[in-house]
Amino acid sequence: MALAKIVYASLTGNTEEIADIVAEALENEGLEVEINECTQVDADDFLEADICVIGTYTYDEGSLPDDIVDLYEELKELDLSGKIYGVVGSGDTFYEMFCSAVDDFDKAFAQAGATKGAESVKVDLAAEEEDIENLEKFAKELASKVK
């Protein structure tokens, strides 16, 4: 059974909820899912996964959350060739750099040699019905790449 590893950073709970939605959708696709808060894992934990997912919020004017910076730096040093990845996250459209941390992780996974399995999903604050549909579609696309 394919393993999907989801690692998230959440300050308000919005990104944790997004990660939980993706986890449930991946389980519904028949995948084994491990979900962890970013301070509980190292980037090399992704080496054991078939699908690698980051859920992050964007802080302030486009900054990565402090608690996920180390993971971000480690990720760029890995060789994730043969792995499928996806990135989701929350932000606030009030800021010009809406969800830019999602884009930063997208680039980091690409730099590590992983294959993008689905377009990133960016959520304005908390996930609404349309966001949930987009997150479920995201999970289905990822799962289809390992079946």
Side-chain angles (χ1 to χ4, degrees), residues 1 15 17 25 65 76 80 82 84-86 93 96 114 123-124 128 133 140 147:
M1 179 183 294
T15 310
E17 180 189 10
K76 295 189 295 185
L80 294 177
I84 304 296
Y85 80 88
T93 53
E96 186 178 329
V123 176
D124 185 21
E128 306 280 333
E133 289 171 10
K140 271 188 191 315
K147 287 187 172 178

Side-chain angles (χ1 to χ4, degrees), residues 15-88:
T15 310
E16 182 176 6
E17 180 189 10
I18 289 166
D20 288 340
I21 292 165
V22 172
E24 185 177 337
L26 287 169
E27 286 170 350
N28 290 341
E29 292 295 315
L31 275 70
E32 181 183 346
V33 178
E34 287 181 8
I35 183 168
N36 297 97
E37 199 273 329
C38 65
T39 60
Q40 307 300 311
V41 295
D42 294 314
D44 59 7
D45 290 347
F46 280 127
L47 295 171
E48 65 197 37
D50 301 293
I51 296 175
C52 309
V53 177
I54 288 281
T56 185
Y57 63 96
T58 300
Y59 186 71
D60 202 29
E61 296 292 341
S63 302
L64 285 172
D66 288 342
D67 51 355
I68 205 166
V69 170
D70 289 346
L71 186 82
Y72 172 76
E73 295 298 335
E74 293 168 12
L75 184 64
K76 295 189 295 185
E77 305 299 317
L78 291 178
D79 178 2
L80 294 177
S81 304
K83 307 292 183 191
I84 304 296
Y85 80 88
V87 187
V88 295

